[in-house]
Amino acid sequence: DNISAAYLPQNNPPVVRSITVLTQPVAAPAARSATASGSTGSAAGVPYSITVTDSGDAAPVASTGTPTQTLSRAGAQQLLISWQADDPDNDKLVYQFDFRGEGETEWKTLRKGLHDNTFTIDGDALADGRYFFKVTASDREANPGDSAREADLVSSPVLIDNTAPLIRIQSSNRTEI
């Protein structure tokens, strides 16, 4: 006459849609350490930016063939890395932020357990060179351990250039008037 059945829908993985890397001037010397940031700050006057978007997959995106963006700086700068991610089930997401240098195979974790979708790092914290940034989104806080899902996205290569400009005079000519 009557039947009841409990049903738990399958958990869908989150999607990391884009990663954007911007430079921004440092406001005060006290703000020059690697910190997590809860605000995106003002992007006005930002001279360089790169954005990587997903290909429709929840799998990591390969950076092969993507042009390198140079992030040079005239003075003290910070890198503001922000990303867009969502979950089809509207689960609350938690993020892990990693980086690695070009030619390296091991990712180095900068921060785990982020709930904000931005991270700020001092421009001097990384040596000159090309770097990749990876954001991993997880819905583990809203789902039991065995059904939690995650997805990540890797940025295109970012060239950090902290070297001061060098001016050389190649030749000089003297003209008399």
Side-chain angles (χ1 to χ4, degrees):
D1 206 13
N2 192 359
I3 203 166
S4 247
Y7 172 73
L8 179 63
Q10 183 176 356
N11 183 29
N12 294 302
V15 178
V16 182
R17 300 205 179 276
S18 68
I19 299 173
T20 302
V21 180
L22 302 169
T23 59
Q24 65 182 13
V26 174
R32 298 194 65 207
S33 62
T35 60
S37 172
S39 65
T40 58
S42 171
V46 175
Y48 304 99
S49 71
I50 60 171
T51 302
V52 173
T53 58
D54 71 344
S55 64
D57 289 338
V61 174
S63 298
T64 307
T66 306
T68 299
Q69 175 69 40
T70 302
L71 296 176
S72 60
R73 53 194 202 87
Q77 295 275 339
Q78 288 183 329
L79 296 179
L80 175 66
I81 299 101
S82 61
W83 53 90
Q84 292 180 344
D86 56 65
D87 188 273
D89 303 320
N90 292 321
D91 293 333
K92 183 176 180 180
L93 297 177
V94 62
Y95 305 103
Q96 178 172 318
F97 184 70
D98 304 300
F99 80 100
R100 69 174 173 84
E102 184 177 57
E104 296 177 0
T105 57
E106 191 172 320
W107 289 98
K108 298 169 193 80
T109 300
L110 283 172
R111 188 68 53 101
K112 288 182 180 181
L114 286 169
H115 290 96
D116 296 324
N117 64 346
T118 60
F119 189 81
T120 304
I121 187 169
D122 183 6
D124 289 333
L126 299 172
D128 289 358
R130 284 186 175 84
Y131 293 91
F132 295 92
F133 298 101
K134 179 173 78 168
V135 173
T136 304
S138 173
D139 61 5
R140 70 177 176 262
E141 291 182 350
N143 294 283
D146 58 340
S147 67
R149 307 284 300 271
E150 66 180 35
D152 58 27
L153 182 66
V154 177
S155 73
S156 61
V158 176
L159 178 62
I160 305 294
D161 182 5
N162 294 321
T163 307
L166 179 63
I167 299 173
R168 292 185 192 169
I169 298 175
Q170 298 294 331
S171 64
S172 63
N173 294 328
R174 182 176 177 173
T175 306
E176 293 187 31
I177 300 179

